[in-house]
Amino acid sequence: MEWLQQIINGISLGSIYALIALGYTMVYGIIKLINFAHGEVFMIGAFTGFVAIVHFELSFVPALIIAMFTCSVVGVLIERIAYKRLRESTRIAALITAIGMSLFIQYLFIYFRGAEPEAYPQDVLPERTLDIFGVKVSMQALLILFISIVLMILLQFIVQKTKIGRAMRAVSYDKDAARLMGINVDNTISATFAIGSALAGAAGVIFGIYYTKIDPLMGLIPGLKAFVAAVLGGIGIIPGAMVGGFILGIVETLVSAAGFSLFRDAAAFIILILILLFRPAGIFGKNTKEKV
Amino acid sequence: MLKVNDIDVYYGHIHALKGVSLNVEEGEIVTLIGANGAGKTTLLNTLSGLLRPKNGTIEYMGKSIVGLPAQQIVRDGIIHVPEGRRVFAEMTVEENLLLGAFLRKDSQQVKKDLEKVYEIFPRLEERKKQQSGTLSGGEQQMLAIGRALMSKPKLLLLDEPSMGLAPILVQTIFEIIQEINNDGTTVLLVEQNAHMALSIADRGYVIETGKVVISGTSKELQESELVREAYLGGA
Ligand SMILES: Nc1ncnc2c1ncn2[C@@H]1O[C@H](COP(=O)(O)OP(=O)(O)OP(=O)(O)O)[C@@H](O)[C@H]1O
Ligand SMILES: [Mg+2]
């Protein structure tokens, strides 16, 4: 029963990784860029949620929506300011810019508000422990899981069934052919950043509630781990990011439950190395499918 | 309907189109014939706004379209079926067709047009839930043309629709192009298969290394020495 509880905790942690990983994978899918500033969008989401809850005394759902909205604006700005002009340049130039953007946001934040951490209030979500057939489950963990799954279903719906989703897929397969359909490629890329960043914003608020402590550099480690999750699932593949996130969360939780909590963070990177060695395309990736 | 006047198009330092002029009147089928690398695709890409000419003018229905974004040109009714079909391989046949109607707001009419496309290409209806990448080359060409019809073309640009198809299928595709034209769509047809192209076109242009070398009615071209030797197998 102990293990079952740990797995449920792992799934909720994994849902946070999954939400962040979705943004990495969507952006990669459409412009083939690893947006290293994505972890900072997550951080901005956490702080926006904090301000909404503590200073404006809003409840969880409105705070979540405000954080998601703010992050989508930030994501679009990052793309328009830093990445757009690099679309035709080399991958390495774009990658270095993304890392630069990440550091820029971190230190801009520290410059204006200082580096000291902030503590989320404890009572945003009901903190109770449920007893389901002898398994003790934290209500928070369940709510977090529930919210993440709602957001993921919403995302799947947008991507698969709506016009903007169809445009996003078309642009990610073939930009010029998409243009010939009358699709505005720039706007579609912006929409992708907006949606991916909104999910990271949601993850930021959820993270704050779950772990209570937030700070300007908090995006780094969860960002890297979500990146690992995206690679694990197959970068560019949306269901891959979800599955990768859940697997990573479960593995981490089990590793620390087994008494190796010092190796918790290492687990993610060991997974990354293994996946790059043995299945670089990820779980869902088809092995080297080249465009003709 | 379309007046291209003295355009130059470059890829970096490569001068791909050198002062090309051509015009297409409403209701016509005009063909553009030329060997590999002559600049045919470059011309179509310029017309649909994927490339920009350095000099020269392009007028469509009385107004300049140079520098307009591709989506505006699509909205104006110039629809381009690109070389190599370029269907969205990982999307279904029906999703591809709906992408053709991306800019349209008249969803009732879109539904009717979808039925019409399925009538023209029954194969596509049978395969509407299939991933487009798994279609045969001929079916993909039908899909690419069907997708263009979903955009309500006034001027349809076709880039080598016969490429890689068996002769019987080429025949079918050309008959369909003629039908589309009979229904009131103007067609600019790029082809290497000069024989077939001239058999359905009203007029034609021959392009060699970025320059128009000869133009005229299909009949004139079929009879011209140059065209017979270089493009109709010398017969
Ligand atoms: N993206 C590009 N970058 C550089 N040069 C290009 C590019 N695309 C085409 N060219 C060059 O421009 C010239 C015209 O090419 P284009 O594709 O228009 O020829 P085409 O007539 O369509 O030939 P084909 O019948 O083989 O399709 C060629 O010399 C080609 O090498
Ligand atoms: Mg060509």
Side-chain angles (χ1 to χ4, degrees):
Chain A
M1 285 309 168
E2 169 77 11
W3 288 104
L4 207 53
Q5 268 160 241
Q6 291 302 342
I7 285 178
I8 292 172
N9 290 339
I11 292 176
S12 349
L13 173 62
S15 67
I16 296 177
Y17 292 150
L19 287 177
I20 310 174
L22 284 165
Y24 273 115
T25 233
M26 290 169 69
V27 163
Y28 185 86
I30 206 156
I31 56 170
K32 303 290 173 280
L33 166 75
I34 307 290
N35 176 17
F36 275 112
H38 194 57
E40 279 53 58
V41 175
F42 160 81
M43 178 272 287
I44 290 171
F47 274 92
T48 310
F50 177 82
V51 170
I53 290 167
V54 173
H55 296 283
F56 293 96
E57 296 177 0
L58 296 173
S59 62
F60 173 71
V61 174
L64 186 76
I65 291 171
I66 289 172
M68 290 175 73
F69 177 76
T70 307
C71 286
S72 64
V73 173
V74 169
V76 170
L77 286 178
I78 292 175
E79 194 272 332
R80 290 272 154 142
I81 293 169
Y83 302 154
K84 189 174 173 203
R85 61 200 82 217
L86 292 170
R87 255 184 237 154
E88 308 299 324
S89 70
T90 57
R91 303 264 292 263
I92 189 77
L95 199 68
I96 290 168
T97 305
I99 294 171
M101 199 67 205
S102 162
L103 294 169
F104 174 73
I105 295 173
Q106 284 171 10
Y107 290 96
L108 192 72
F109 223 75
I110 290 176
Y111 180 80
F112 282 109
R113 76 163 282 287
E116 66 282 2
E118 210 77 69
Y120 257 70
Q122 295 286 343
D123 54 356
V124 186
L125 288 178
E127 178 53 293
R128 270 196 296 140
T129 310
L130 302 181
D131 197 317
I132 306 172
F133 306 116
V135 185
K136 287 201 173 51
V137 186
S138 115
M139 180 105 159
Q140 264 192 7
L142 282 185
L143 276 174
I144 284 171
L145 182 59
F146 173 75
I147 294 156
S148 310
I149 287 176
V150 168
L151 289 175
M152 288 180 215
I153 291 172
L154 192 66
L155 175 71
Q156 274 298 2
F157 175 79
I158 292 174
V159 171
Q160 296 300 328
K161 301 286 179 210
T162 67
K163 218 167 172 178
I164 184 69
R166 226 180 274 141
M168 281 162 46
R169 283 184 289 147
V171 171
S172 75
Y173 300 141
D174 186 340
K175 286 190 185 46
D176 273 345
R179 282 193 179 92
L180 296 181
M181 304 295 108
I183 293 170
N184 184 327
V185 169
D186 288 344
N187 289 354
T188 306
I189 291 173
S190 291
T192 308
F193 270 84
I195 295 172
S197 303
L199 293 175
V205 178
I206 291 173
F207 183 94
I209 289 169
Y210 206 51
Y211 292 96
T212 63
K213 194 183 125 242
I214 60 172
D215 69 83
L217 300 182
M218 66 182 275
L220 186 63
I221 296 295
L224 282 176
K225 287 183 183 167
F227 167 65
V228 173
V231 173
L232 174 62
I235 188 108
I237 303 167
I238 286 177
M242 299 182 193
V243 172
F246 285 123
I247 293 179
L248 195 62
I250 293 170
V251 169
E252 272 196 2
T253 313
L254 292 183
V255 166
S256 43
F260 302 105
S261 48
L262 283 179
F263 290 95
R264 206 184 116 122
D265 287 350
F269 301 104
I270 293 171
I271 290 179
L272 179 64
I273 292 167
L274 292 179
I275 200 93
L276 290 178
L277 281 178
F278 296 108
R279 201 175 159 82
I283 299 172
F284 285 75
K286 299 176 194 92
N287 278 325
T288 59
K289 192 178 57 42
E290 284 297 322
K291 260 198 226 156
V292 197
Chain B
M1 183 178 217
L2 179 76
K3 283 198 180 69
V4 177
N5 190 22
D6 204 14
I7 59 169
D8 287 284
V9 177
Y10 291 80
Y11 294 103
H13 292 295
I14 302 170
H15 196 174
L17 293 182
K18 303 163 187 159
V20 170
S21 298
L22 119 184
N23 63 308
V24 179
E25 300 302 330
E26 192 143 8
E28 280 189 311
I29 299 183
V30 173
T31 185
L32 184 68
I33 304 166
N36 288 116
K40 308 181 295 296
T41 299
T42 304
L43 178 65
L44 292 196
N45 285 346
T46 310
L47 295 178
S48 54
L50 297 181
L51 294 173
R52 248 189 115 130
K54 192 158 192 177
N55 309 301
T57 59
I58 305 174
E59 244 181 57
Y60 169 70
M61 312 232 275
K63 69 181 206 326
S64 167
I65 57 166
V66 172
L68 290 185
Q71 72 263 19
Q72 186 55 48
I73 292 175
V74 171
R75 198 171 272 129
D76 290 345
I78 300 183
I79 309 299
H80 180 179
V81 178
E83 181 170 58
R85 356 286 186 201
R86 305 279 278 270
V87 299
F88 299 102
E90 298 181 35
M91 296 168 92
T92 66
V93 168
E94 189 148 303
E95 282 179 320
N96 267 274
L97 291 173
L98 290 175
L99 275 172
F102 187 78
L103 287 176
R104 292 177 57 183
K105 306 258 182 277
D106 48 341
S107 54
Q108 283 317 100
Q109 194 58 39
V110 167
K111 256 188 212 136
K112 276 187 204 145
D113 286 352
L114 189 64
E115 293 311 312
K116 211 160 93 194
V117 168
Y118 284 145
E119 233 166 78
I120 304 173
F121 302 108
R123 292 258 211 130
L124 295 184
E125 178 154 36
E126 290 162 24
R127 290 163 170 74
K128 64 182 171 190
K129 298 268 175 265
Q130 192 171 322
Q131 298 261 301
S132 310
T134 64
L135 296 176
S136 75
E139 289 160 355
Q140 288 192 14
Q141 188 62 59
M142 294 176 192
L143 179 56
I145 294 175
R147 188 175 65 179
L149 293 180
M150 293 300 294
S151 317
K152 274 199 181 279
K154 295 193 179 92
L155 171 61
L156 185 62
L157 312 176
L158 293 164
D159 198 341
E160 301 201 38
S162 74
M163 189 166 65
L165 303 189
I168 174 84
L169 215 55
V170 174
Q171 189 72 38
T172 315
I173 295 279
F174 273 69
E175 278 164 17
I176 286 165
I177 294 170
Q178 248 176 330
E179 272 171 43
I180 292 169
N181 177 249
N182 287 339
D183 283 347
T185 305
T186 310
V187 176
L188 177 56
L189 169 66
V190 159
E191 263 301 337
Q192 288 200 44
N193 188 337
H195 181 71
M196 288 295 294
L198 289 173
S199 76
I200 66 164
D202 300 297
R203 293 186 300 114
Y205 292 81
V206 176
I207 179 169
E208 278 176 10
T209 57
K211 284 197 184 105
V212 172
V213 290
I214 180 171
S215 66
T217 64
S218 293
K219 190 149 182 295
E220 283 164 1
L221 292 180
Q222 278 160 337
E223 283 164 3
S224 113
E225 248 346 272
L226 185 145
V227 175
R228 286 162 75 100
E229 271 174 30
Y231 303 98
L232 295 173

